[in-house]
Amino acid sequence: MTVGASQLVRQRVFQQRRQQELSGDASDYKRMWQVRAAGLLGAASVGAGAYGAHGLVSHDDEYRAIWKTAVQYHQVHALALLATAAIPSARARAVSSACFVTGGAVFCGSNYVVAYKQDRSYGGWAPYGGTGLIGGWLALAAL
């Protein structure tokens, strides 16, 4: 393919995407961020689970259990985020996705820090993250 032909192909693809956006048929394109974010969160949760199983061997069982709980919530809400891409309501999709991402980061992140440092004083943000996760589920039910 020559340079001119490849440029024409790129222009044609750009025009098709732009036309889809203007006609409202770009819902698949707009939902891709949830799918990509869910993939990243799922991969991170598996990595965190592996680290907890192999890297926290010397930690107390109490803190390993906290790490395990954080991994479970991390995985469940990665799947929930993936499922939000299939929701027809744009409002419910946007609100629940934002709540799952931010709530998951705050809740799980806070618990990961507590377990890693073996210090419960870092857990003060967990209730805010948990509230965000609950908000995500309520957004799915109400919006």
Side-chain angles (χ1 to χ4, degrees):
M1 188 181 289
T2 65
V3 174
S6 65
Q7 187 176 10
L8 287 173
V9 169
R10 277 186 263 138
Q11 286 177 345
R12 178 72 178 162
V13 169
F14 176 77
Q15 288 172 347
Q16 288 174 343
R17 285 185 182 164
R18 182 70 178 141
Q19 188 176 13
Q20 285 178 342
E21 289 175 5
L22 294 174
S23 67
D25 294 337
S27 59
D28 290 340
Y29 183 72
K30 291 179 181 176
R31 294 177 190 187
M32 281 305 295
W33 82 264
Q34 284 105 339
V35 174
R36 289 182 179 146
L40 291 172
L41 289 173
S45 71
V46 172
Y51 181 77
H54 302 287
L56 300 179
V57 177
S58 63
H59 284 57
D60 291 340
D61 286 341
E62 173 188 2
Y63 292 105
R64 291 180 66 182
I66 292 171
W67 187 278
K68 185 176 179 181
T69 299
V71 169
Q72 289 173 341
Y73 275 80
H74 196 160
Q75 290 176 338
V76 166
H77 288 90
L79 290 174
L81 180 63
L82 179 63
T84 61
I87 297 171
S89 168
R91 186 174 171 195
R93 190 172 57 245
V95 172
S96 62
S97 297
C99 287
F100 287 150
V101 170
T102 57
V106 173
F107 178 80
C108 296
S110 177
N111 282 310
Y112 286 140
V113 172
V114 166
Y116 182 77
K117 294 194 174 264
Q118 298 187 61
D119 185 357
R120 288 189 175 268
S121 67
Y122 292 102
W125 285 93
Y128 299 109
T131 302
L133 294 175
I134 293 168
W137 291 106
L138 292 175
L140 291 177
L143 300 179

